[in-house]
Amino acid sequence: MTTPIAAPPAPPSGALPTIDRASARAFAEEFITPVADVYDRAGAVPEEIQERIGERGLWAPFLPTRHGGRDLDMVTLGAVHEEMGRACSSVRSLLTVHTMLAWALMRWGSAEQIERWAPDVATGRVRGAFCLSEPGAGSDAAGIGTNVRPHKGGWLLNGRKKWITGGSRADLYLVFARNESSIVALLVPRTAPGVGVTPIDDMLGTRASLIAEIDFTDVELGPDALLGPSSFASGMVLSGTLDLGRYSVACGSVGIIQACLEACAHYTTHRTVGGSRLRDLALIRAKLSDMVTDVRAARLLCERAGELKDAEDPATLMATWVAKYFASTAAARHSSEAVQVHGANGMSTDYPVARLYRDAKVMEIIEGSNEIQRITIADEAFREVAQ
Amino acid sequence: MSVTTENPAVPAVPPTEIADRIHGFVRARFPQVEIAPNQDIFAMGFINSLFAMELVMFIEKTFGRSVPNDELRIDNFRTVEAMAGLVGRLRLAVSDS
């Protein structure tokens, strides 16, 4: 079942292209979907498509127009990321981490930092990556070993980050490091002396998302590298940035379910078994009905989280946890069923469901593992009902 | 960000209601305990980065003032009274500018 979406009208000559669900789908269908499996096998989203994303204004369209963005609302941003996730989770992952850096810059940056970075971040001339995970610390942010200390009026950064999406291509890293007892955020240009980038290949999923390990060895930074407050409030930079990343991953997971649904509807319509179409079997219909139900539910949860973000309502934080947990677990479940529906074909590179299956697993781990999410959601439940 | 900005779309909250609004938000988040306006909520062990972010978002949305980085100090958020004081200063900062 393909969600009917009207093709967008061509923009007037010289006008900026419209950014909405329909235009994002049209872009993805033309440039990404047909080659997503090629990216997956090659292990990289090519530079050419990243530049096209920039031409369409999709890197950070939520930034204000005065800084080169399009003032796009969060609900529409979610729809764009869903459509990218429907086409290729590696592309969506690159958008996610760039979005996280762009949002953190706009939310926490000084006027000088915003003036310096925002215009190029908005267009994608400068690509961002989010550096939190380390060889020994993933969801456990308190376990961060990368450290930063005052040095010559600025900062000295040392440590190693791992599993950094977009890391092998990014120009600017949003790095979280320990400064005494708090975790602070830093903007670190890739060109800073002491920054080393080692690509990580052959991941299970989102194989084309340019994942890398980033080493920081005696990296000297100016005082303007610090993003946002230090001390007790510095954790808010991480919380807020992860919230937006989680929102993007949730929306991308909806896209995965939608892609599974469409692949299964097409396959079971054309595949026959015992003289009947596969789609006529009750057990197959049950799988598709569950996909339809869950993709709609997950989309509504994402839209609600986006509405709360647009309203700047603090309830968006928990709404996003719930949306990401629901959408990612549903994506993992339905992508597994999609492979099952396709049989041996589903395990081959002839059909997209094997890629969807591998990518969906990643969604249950990134931006806070689902185990961490369940703990947080349960805490909320006890707060709501405690007497 | 060293200055606060005002969201003119947010209706002004009477000064006498500022502390009550903040108190109501904090109590709603932790309904299992009584929290006095002068009680240190950090000392009660409830604060994590998620709640801190919620607090800042609540203050900015309810009172229509952004909280600049240099006001994000722990002492400004220890108690309901301290947060009400912060909101008062942010209002003055906008009216003076």
Side-chain angles (χ1 to χ4, degrees):
Chain A
M1 178 189 290
T2 302
T3 305
I5 296 177
S13 178
L16 292 170
T18 298
I19 298 178
D20 57 14
R21 179 185 293 277
S23 64
R25 175 169 288 197
F27 175 77
E29 297 251 301
E30 181 175 1
F31 296 109
I32 300 173
T33 305
V35 285
D37 285 317
V38 177
Y39 299 169
D40 186 63
R41 286 194 287 278
V45 174
E47 185 68 17
E48 178 196 355
I49 194 65
Q50 297 184 59
E51 290 175 1
R52 284 191 186 277
I53 290 169
E55 291 166 4
R56 296 297 177 107
L58 295 176
W59 280 111
F62 56 93
L63 292 181
T65 51
R66 67 181 182 282
H67 295 302
R70 300 285 295 278
D71 275 324
L72 195 71
D73 63 274
M74 284 292 155
V75 173
T76 308
L77 182 77
V80 170
H81 284 209
E82 180 194 324
E83 292 301 328
M84 293 300 148
R86 172 178 172 267
C88 173
S89 288
S90 289
V91 170
R92 199 271 310 140
S93 295
L94 295 177
L95 286 178
T96 298
V97 294
H98 187 83
T99 294
M100 293 167 82
L101 180 142
W103 181 87
L105 173 68
M106 192 51 54
R107 175 63 182 83
W108 301 104
S110 66
E112 294 77 16
Q113 287 171 322
I114 292 171
E115 183 179 1
R116 177 182 178 189
W117 294 112
D120 285 341
V121 166
T123 60
R125 281 192 293 272
V126 166
R127 312 257 173 82
F130 171 77
C131 300
L132 175 64
S133 295
E134 300 184 354
S139 293
D140 177 24
I144 285 178
T146 296
N147 68 86
V148 64
R149 61 180 174 83
H151 173 74
K152 296 180 183 176
W155 301 94
L156 188 68
L157 176 65
N158 278 286
R160 175 175 295 171
K161 296 293 182 179
K162 197 167 185 182
W163 319 122
I164 305 306
T165 298
S168 65
R169 168 59 184 83
D171 306 290
L172 185 62
Y173 299 111
L174 177 59
V175 180
F176 289 85
R178 182 173 300 284
N179 174 34
E180 297 178 344
S181 61
S182 60
I183 304 295
V184 300
L186 301 149
L187 291 171
V188 182
R190 180 200 188 98
T191 53
V195 176
V197 178
T198 306
I200 300 174
D201 298 322
D202 280 338
M203 297 292 287
L204 172 72
T206 59
R207 291 169 53 84
S209 62
L210 307 172
I211 295 170
E213 183 170 293
I214 317 293
D215 285 290
F216 303 98
T217 307
D218 290 332
V219 178
E220 294 187 347
L221 301 165
D224 59 346
L226 181 69
L227 184 71
S230 55
S231 73
F232 109 96
S234 59
M236 281 189 275
V237 182
L238 179 56
S239 296
T241 307
L242 278 171
D243 172 67
L244 201 58
R246 219 167 271 133
Y247 178 59
S248 172
V249 171
C251 296
S253 298
V254 177
I256 290 174
I257 308 170
Q258 182 68 37
C260 289
L261 172 59
E262 293 170 19
C264 288
H266 184 267
Y267 183 81
T268 59
T269 296
H270 295 89
R271 176 81 175 188
T272 58
V273 55
S276 301
R277 291 186 302 182
L278 205 52
R279 63 179 277 176
D280 296 328
L281 298 179
L283 285 175
I284 296 297
R285 299 178 76 85
K287 294 180 195 300
L288 266 72
S289 68
D290 287 351
M291 290 181 193
V292 170
T293 307
D294 279 350
V295 78
R296 292 187 184 189
R299 188 175 290 124
L300 284 171
L301 287 173
C302 288
E303 288 174 352
R304 179 60 182 152
E307 289 167 358
L308 290 167
K309 289 185 193 313
D310 286 327
E312 299 178 349
D313 190 317
T316 190
L317 299 172
M318 188 50 62
T320 303
W321 280 99
V322 172
K324 192 270 187 178
Y325 173 63
F326 184 88
S328 62
T329 52
R333 186 167 62 250
H334 293 306
S335 61
S336 174
E337 290 287 45
V339 172
Q340 190 74 19
V341 166
H342 283 67
N345 282 323
M347 291 183 277
S348 75
T349 55
D350 295 339
Y351 294 84
V353 290
R355 171 174 52 84
L356 296 169
Y357 175 67
R358 289 183 283 100
D359 288 347
K361 184 62 208 171
V362 178
M363 305 308 131
E364 293 193 302
I365 295 170
I366 57 175
E367 262 58 293
S369 73
N370 281 9
E371 286 72 23
I372 297 286
Q373 297 191 3
R374 295 172 87 171
I375 292 169
T376 306
I377 293 168
D379 286 344
E380 174 74 358
F382 287 119
R383 269 200 297 270
E384 284 183 348
V385 302
Q387 299 297 319
Chain B
M1 260 182 280
S2 58
V3 296
T4 184
T5 57
E6 179 183 14
N7 181 354
V10 176
V13 175
T16 54
E17 293 182 17
I18 292 174
D20 286 346
R21 293 279 189 97
I22 296 169
H23 200 187
F25 179 78
V26 174
R27 281 192 301 195
R29 301 297 288 134
F30 301 103
Q32 70 274 33
V33 293
E34 280 296 319
I35 299 174
N38 62 352
Q39 199 161 3
D40 186 338
I41 57 176
F42 288 81
M44 299 174 77
F46 290 153
I47 295 292
N48 57 25
S49 61
L50 180 64
F51 180 59
M53 187 78 192
E54 289 177 322
L55 263 180
V56 172
M57 291 182 73
F58 167 77
I59 287 173
E60 292 186 336
K61 177 180 171 61
T62 305
F63 304 108
R65 303 289 189 281
S66 65
V67 182
N69 287 347
D70 56 8
E71 289 282 17
L72 289 169
R73 299 190 301 271
I74 192 168
D75 288 343
N76 283 342
F77 294 86
R78 275 192 194 284
T79 67
V80 170
E81 289 176 350
M83 287 184 260
L86 168 66
V87 172
R89 286 199 305 281
L90 296 177
R91 288 181 151 198
L92 282 175
V94 169
S95 61
D96 287 348
S97 63

